[in-house]
Amino acid sequence: MFYWLMKYVVIGPILKAIFRPWVVGRRNVPAEGAAILASNHLSFADSIFLPLMIDRPMSFLAKSDYFTGRGLKGWATRVFFKATGQIPIDRSGGKASEASLNTGLQVLGRGDLLGIYPEGTRSPDGKLYRGRTGLARMALEARVPVVPVVMVDTDTMMPIGTRVPRVARVGVVIGEPLDFSRFAGMEGDRYILRSITDEIMVALQRLGEQEYEDVYASTVKDRLKPRGRAA
């Protein structure tokens, strides 16, 4: 009920009036049953406008930091993220990664939609980067289709590092579902997982025509971090 109120009564109408978002391919989202929506990741705003522009409720796996803030700002952030269907996860790696996988499988096991960013983090420069294989493993274990999604101009509306969005029109392009049932039972094969992940990234690149670079976005971000001056 809370999700519905925020999407259709409180937050959704305001966002649509200000930013006039558009969507192409909405019918490619399955009308029922579980599926993974695999999206490129340009901006914090992606997790807002994708759920807003599809008919079914969906969940995202979000950094747990967003749910632990203090004071009025922390409270407002928690309320907002819960309203947009986001689930807190620990992204520190190791056992935390396994827990995140299990959380995603629980969402899919209920027959719901799960949103995932295969790149693992926001693109630092608008390019599309190499996907992480956790998405492929989840798709095989849950036996669900993967729907490629491209967010358009959300980085123009809210670039990394900004707190106040600019008024700009944003869009969502949804491609046809990808079926990986031919690989059923092979979720333990890392070569199969890499092949599936690469196929998903190719679908995203073709759908959005982003420039692709076959390295992880996190690696590029590390390169761009300012280094301290030598003593």
Side-chain angles (χ1 to χ4, degrees):
M1 179 61 74
F2 184 58
Y3 181 99
W4 186 89
L5 285 172
M6 289 295 170
K7 180 174 180 176
Y8 294 106
V9 180
V10 183
I11 297 177
I14 295 174
L15 292 177
K16 286 184 175 180
I18 295 174
F19 298 103
R20 299 179 297 120
W22 53 269
V23 60
V24 174
R26 195 188 335 241
R27 292 183 179 179
N28 287 324
V29 178
E32 57 183 19
I36 295 174
L37 273 59
S39 173
N40 65 334
H41 197 12
L42 300 174
S43 166
F44 170 84
D46 297 333
S47 299
I48 301 170
F49 284 97
L50 176 51
L52 183 64
M53 299 307 292
I54 65 174
D55 297 326
R56 293 178 58 189
M58 65 175 295
S59 300
F60 272 102
L61 302 182
K63 289 190 299 185
S64 58
D65 298 4
Y66 291 132
F67 296 81
T68 58
R70 298 181 178 180
L72 181 59
K73 181 180 178 181
W75 173 83
T77 302
R78 284 194 301 276
V79 169
F80 179 80
F81 272 72
K82 288 179 180 179
T84 52
Q86 302 198 45
I87 302 171
I89 60 166
D90 183 347
R91 299 201 310 195
S92 59
K95 291 183 178 180
S97 297
E98 191 70 22
S100 301
L101 175 72
N102 292 333
T103 300
L105 290 174
Q106 289 174 13
V107 173
L108 297 170
R110 297 195 299 264
D112 295 337
L113 299 177
L114 179 67
I116 295 179
Y117 300 117
E119 295 166 278
T121 187
R122 285 177 286 182
S123 171
D125 53 13
K127 294 181 182 178
L128 184 68
Y129 287 97
R130 197 174 200 222
R132 303 279 180 173
T133 59
L135 162 62
R137 182 181 165 192
M138 197 177 297
L140 291 187
E141 289 200 14
R143 299 184 179 184
V144 298
V146 177
V147 182
V149 176
V150 170
M151 305 302 298
V152 181
D153 290 335
T154 51
D155 53 340
T156 300
M157 187 204 83
M158 197 168 185
I160 294 176
T162 60
R163 295 186 176 182
V164 179
R166 303 168 182 170
V167 176
R169 199 172 187 198
V170 301
V172 183
V173 181
I174 305 172
E176 295 183 0
L178 303 174
D179 179 10
F180 297 108
S181 58
R182 63 190 183 277
F183 299 117
M186 304 177 72
E187 57 269 17
D189 188 322
R190 62 190 181 95
Y191 295 104
I192 292 295
L193 297 183
R194 172 46 57 191
S195 176
I196 291 172
T197 304
D198 289 345
E199 184 176 335
I200 294 168
M201 301 315 291
V202 167
L204 288 175
Q205 195 281 325
R206 289 176 176 172
L207 198 62
E209 298 184 347
Q210 281 177 270
E211 182 179 349
Y212 178 77
E213 192 166 338
D214 194 26
V215 297
Y216 292 120
S218 57
T219 301
V220 177
K221 283 187 173 182
D222 288 340
R223 290 177 191 164
L224 296 176
K225 287 180 181 177
R227 297 180 180 178
R229 295 181 180 179

